[in-house]
Amino acid sequence: MELKGATAVVTGANRGLGRRLAEQLVQRGAKVYAAARRPETVDLDGVTPLRLDVTDQATIQEAARVASDATLLINNAGISLGTPLIAGDLAAVRAEMGTNFHGPLAVTREFAPVIEANGGGAVLNILSVISWWHPAQAGSYAASKAAAWAMSNAVREELAPRGITVSALHVGLMDTDMTAGMPTADKADPADVAAQALDGIEAGLPEILADDVTRQVKQGLSQTHALS
């Protein structure tokens, strides 16, 4: 889809990749609703702050009512709690799955009829290389992103007849607040990742692989499948 003239809703737009996506969408000529749990934390010029908590159905419904002209939804909001599946706190596991899987699904379900009514458009789900690589220490996060990948694939097929494309962005470490405590080496620039994501939307790509690590892991999955 063409982003110039589009109307985008970006969840988690107050910081990190979401902020970069919102910023670059404005630069490309889109109208942008910058969604956050606390819209007062959105300080970007040229956007409309929008209250949206992906774990709160009432705020999702109200956001869809306010952003009734939306043609693009970017499901960016997410959490990473570093929780193992067996030894970790089960409440944390539920929180990650609720935010990273149930949340984007709930937002997509609410905005799909809005986008369809506006003539069609696109959905972008922000995922991770962790969708395919599942380290034990981040088992809960990995499970939530793997589930979100499966959701992206199924929803893509379901929404295609309604004129809505669905893309999934996969990326490794980015230089954002979420990775602040990790070594600085090999972190992608979120501005570069945002540019790749938006190019991918315009090209209608089903999957956007934003760095070499992600491309290598995805290729390895294909090789493993071929040998099995």
Side-chain angles (χ1 to χ4, degrees):
M1 68 176 292
E2 184 175 356
L3 294 178
K4 185 177 181 180
T7 299
V9 174
V10 183
T11 69
N14 56 326
R15 60 181 185 167
L17 178 61
R19 179 184 172 88
R20 293 296 192 180
L21 287 163
E23 182 179 52
Q24 292 185 26
L25 279 163
V26 171
Q27 293 169 357
R28 295 189 188 212
K31 175 181 177 181
V32 177
Y33 292 97
R37 287 180 298 172
R38 295 170 53 214
E40 67 274 13
T41 62
V42 175
D43 60 357
L44 280 171
D45 293 332
V47 305
T48 301
L50 180 68
R51 182 169 182 256
L52 196 161
D53 180 341
V54 302
T55 66
D56 183 335
Q57 185 62 29
T59 70
I60 296 171
Q61 291 174 338
E62 177 62 12
R65 186 193 68 79
V66 172
S68 59
D69 52 346
T71 57
L72 169 63
L73 169 65
I74 299 183
N75 286 311
N76 167 73
I79 59 172
S80 176
L81 302 178
T83 307
L85 286 170
I86 302 302
D89 181 4
L90 193 56
V93 175
R94 291 192 175 108
E96 287 191 305
M97 189 62 73
T99 302
N100 298 339
F101 170 69
H102 293 115
L105 177 58
V107 177
T108 302
R109 285 168 62 99
E110 203 65 39
F111 273 92
V114 173
I115 295 172
E116 181 180 18
N118 290 324
V123 174
L124 172 66
N125 293 326
I126 306 302
L127 303 182
S128 170
V129 67
I130 294 292
S131 304
W132 306 312
W133 171 55
H134 308 141
Q137 68 271 22
S140 175
Y141 182 72
S144 70
K145 288 299 186 179
W149 179 46
M151 180 266 286
S152 300
N153 292 335
V155 168
R156 181 180 302 117
E157 182 179 340
E158 189 173 355
L159 292 183
R162 299 168 64 175
I164 302 172
T165 62
V166 177
S167 301
L169 170 73
H170 298 268
V171 61
L173 291 177
M174 281 186 292
D175 191 10
T176 65
D177 291 350
M178 188 179 286
T179 65
M182 299 179 185
T184 56
D186 299 323
K187 288 185 183 179
D189 182 344
D192 176 63
V193 174
Q196 291 187 63
L198 298 182
D199 288 345
I201 293 171
E202 290 197 310
L205 299 179
E207 288 192 332
I208 303 155
L209 310 182
D211 55 32
D212 288 340
V213 170
T214 301
R215 286 185 281 270
Q216 290 166 6
V217 171
K218 182 63 185 296
Q219 184 177 15
L221 279 183
S222 302
Q223 292 171 347
T224 301
H225 179 73
L227 293 172
S228 60

